[in-house]
Amino acid sequence: MVKLIGEQIYLRALEQEDLDFLYELENNTDVWEVSGTIAPYSKSVLQLYLDNAHRDIYDVKQLRLVISDLQDKAIGLIDIFDFEPNHKRAGIGIIILDTERRNKGIGAESITLLNNYVFDVLGLRQIYANILEENLASMHLFKKLGFVEVGIKKDWVRVKNSFKNEVLLQKINKK
């Protein structure tokens, strides 16, 4: 049985009470570069999103989970996106909102719990992550967890008047 509970955190479904947290995260311009966001979200739009967050991953091809500390405080999000059950693959992404909670093992624990879920419950063969080349902390984290760099997408992400490379990392389940 796969548990989504670690030593520091647990992963849980989005709840209606997460509206303010989502609003803060989605409107934080410091993370727009990695999330692909180009405009603020209103609370009403985010409420509509929460109203549909219960939909099945096989239907919507994505799943967003809240990273919560053991005191039940939302501290980040971890996503499964581009879920392809036929090809048994999906992308994953993670954000820890509070910068002071980063580099403390929370990201590694979250990704490890999600890896167990996608491989053991969803039966995926592989997962991948897209990381900006300059994001050395994320690159180190994913490589430490067994992801392998398989390519570089040149000039992939436009930021203001320049372009940045994005690295594709992949983890294949050999079981």
Side-chain angles (χ1 to χ4, degrees):
M1 179 174 160
V2 172
K3 292 187 178 184
L4 297 177
I5 302 169
E7 292 185 20
Q8 299 182 74
I9 57 94
Y10 66 98
L11 305 180
R12 64 169 176 79
L14 285 163
E15 301 285 352
Q16 293 296 325
E17 296 78 31
D18 293 318
L19 179 61
D20 289 335
F21 177 75
L22 271 179
Y23 184 77
E24 180 184 359
L25 189 140
E26 295 291 359
N27 290 297
N28 182 337
T29 57
D30 293 340
V31 299
W32 282 10
E33 189 173 293
V34 294
S35 68
T37 303
I38 58 171
Y41 284 94
S42 69
K43 281 192 175 182
S44 60
V45 166
L46 292 171
Q47 184 62 58
L48 287 171
Y49 175 75
L50 282 174
D51 291 344
N52 286 287
H54 67 280
R55 293 181 60 198
D56 188 80
I57 187 172
Y58 287 89
D59 178 30
V60 296
K61 308 298 184 216
Q62 64 182 17
L63 176 66
R64 174 169 274 182
L65 298 171
V66 174
I67 303 167
S68 181
D69 67 17
L70 299 179
Q71 291 73 44
D72 299 320
K73 181 178 189 300
I75 57 176
L77 297 172
I78 191 162
D79 297 329
I80 301 170
F81 61 90
D82 292 343
F83 175 62
E84 291 283 346
N86 183 48
H87 300 293
K88 299 195 173 291
R89 69 174 178 245
I92 68 167
I94 183 171
I95 183 72
I96 306 295
L97 183 59
D98 183 354
T99 56
E100 294 192 12
R101 307 275 314 246
R102 296 178 187 168
N103 298 312
K104 296 189 179 346
I106 292 169
E109 194 169 355
S110 301
I111 293 167
T112 299
L113 291 171
L114 192 73
N115 285 351
N116 295 338
Y117 175 75
V118 299
F119 292 140
D120 298 341
V121 175
L122 297 178
L124 296 187
R125 169 87 169 133
Q126 60 183 289
I127 52 178
Y128 63 89
N130 302 303
I131 302 172
L132 290 178
E133 190 173 49
E134 66 193 29
N135 189 343
L136 300 180
S138 287
M139 294 286 289
H140 174 75
L141 171 63
F142 278 85
K143 287 180 178 181
K144 178 176 81 171
L145 295 173
F147 285 74
V148 176
E149 184 176 324
V150 294
I152 297 176
K153 300 178 225 172
K154 301 285 187 181
D155 291 345
W156 199 255
V157 177
R158 184 174 66 90
V159 179
K160 296 181 183 169
N161 294 325
S162 66
F163 287 86
K164 295 183 178 184
N165 295 340
E166 187 173 81
V167 178
L168 175 61
L169 294 110
Q170 181 181 39
K171 184 172 186 174
I172 297 178
N173 186 12
K174 303 286 186 180
K175 293 180 188 177

